[in-house]
Amino acid sequence: PIPAGSKGVYAPLGTQGTCSAQAFFIQANIASPLYNFCLSLYYLLLVKYSISETQIRKKIEPWMHGCTITFGLGTSFVCLGLGMFNNSNLWCWINALPKGCEQSYNNGGETTCVRGDNSEIFRWLFFFAPLWAAIVGSMVTMFMLWKAVRMQEDKVAKWTEKYVQSSATEEERKGGHGNSMAESGNGTRGTKKSSKMVSFSNSVITKIHSSVQRSSTRHPQFNSQSERARELASASASASAMNIGIGNEQRSIFSSIDVSKYIS
């Protein structure tokens, strides 16, 4: 698209119109890095500042599209109207013509350029400055986004650690309560067993007393001895019942006690 007859260019076959058309779209492409910055800003607002997608879409996104598109197309039209689009060796873009002419900003207000006077200023204002601003802005927003996510992850990690510790403490508390319940159950069972032993001992004592009483009735001469036998039998039966338990074998032992030795 570079105009035919341009020096220092391989096979220039275009015209000034084709050159300007190519340069127009190249300059409009400045909207791409600006859109990248807007995208990083979008995620920053969404994640760090918790702004909803609806609010962004209605209040912020229109400005993003408007500013980006307006700047890209606006600078392209301005350069087109000022005759800034000329041969730039490899393609057509913002440049002074002829190549190497004196520009007015650097020559006391006078210029030897046919087209594209002060093109270097326009390059920086319309392309390089916004390009680097978008790059730096994207880096800053991405860093802020990373920091926000990192802080959130740290909070989640701390909360998780506290939750695990709390759960472990609760499990220990429940375990201790279970042990207490088990000990309480063991104590209850022991109490019931002791009660049964005492009850059985009383029944054995009653049986011995009855036997001694019958013997005393049949043999009055042994009353004093029978009283002594009752005391000894009560003590022996109580001690035996508390020591050997209340199983069937023990029941047979007490059932076969011969109290005659106490009254003979």
Side-chain angles (χ1 to χ4, degrees), residues 1-221:
I2 295 176
S6 299
K7 296 180 180 181
V9 179
Y10 175 77
L13 302 174
T15 63
Q16 183 61 49
T18 59
C19 184
S20 296
Q22 183 190 45
F24 181 91
F25 289 107
I26 291 177
Q27 174 59 32
N29 195 45
I30 188 61
S32 295
L34 296 179
Y35 261 119
N36 287 334
F37 168 70
C38 291
L39 185 62
S40 61
L41 184 62
Y42 169 85
Y43 286 115
L44 180 67
L45 296 175
L46 189 67
V47 175
K48 179 177 176 59
Y49 297 102
S50 302
I51 300 177
S52 65
E53 292 187 25
T54 302
Q55 290 179 315
I56 295 176
R57 184 172 59 251
K58 291 182 178 180
K59 298 180 180 181
I60 300 176
E61 190 173 345
W63 286 96
M64 292 180 176
H65 291 297
C67 293
T68 302
I69 295 174
T70 299
F71 186 83
L73 293 178
T75 55
S76 295
F77 279 111
V78 169
C79 291
L80 181 63
L82 296 176
M84 294 291 172
F85 295 145
N86 300 295
N87 173 27
S88 296
N89 296 327
L90 296 178
W91 50 74
C92 292
W93 188 45
I94 301 174
N95 198 21
L97 192 69
K99 183 180 179 180
C101 64
E102 294 291 339
Q103 300 181 34
S104 59
Y105 82 94
N106 198 30
N107 195 34
E110 296 181 1
T111 182
T112 58
C113 300
V114 177
R115 291 172 56 87
D117 184 30
N118 296 325
S119 60
E120 293 181 359
I121 296 177
F122 283 93
R123 279 188 177 188
W124 279 98
L125 287 178
F126 288 174
F127 194 87
F128 292 122
L131 174 63
W132 282 106
I135 293 174
V136 174
S138 298
M139 293 174 63
V140 171
T141 53
M142 287 294 99
F143 175 78
M144 295 175 65
L145 180 60
W146 169 82
K147 187 175 181 180
V149 173
R150 182 63 180 272
M151 292 177 63
Q152 189 67 23
E153 289 179 348
D154 292 341
K155 290 181 181 179
V156 171
K158 290 181 180 179
W159 181 88
T160 303
E161 183 179 358
K162 290 181 179 179
Y163 176 78
V164 171
Q165 293 177 352
S166 177
S167 299
T169 304
E170 186 66 22
E171 289 297 328
E172 291 179 358
R173 187 181 300 112
K174 289 182 178 179
H177 181 68
N179 293 335
S180 298
M181 293 293 292
E183 293 175 359
S184 177
N186 293 335
T188 302
R189 288 192 294 271
T191 302
K192 291 181 178 180
K193 186 175 181 179
S194 299
S195 298
K196 289 181 180 179
M197 286 193 295
V198 171
S199 176
F200 180 64
S201 176
N202 290 335
S203 67
V204 172
I205 294 172
T206 302
K207 185 175 180 179
I208 294 173
H209 285 183
S210 299
S211 180
V212 172
Q213 184 65 36
R214 287 195 300 271
S215 298
S216 299
T217 303
R218 290 195 300 268
H219 305 282
Q221 66 274 20

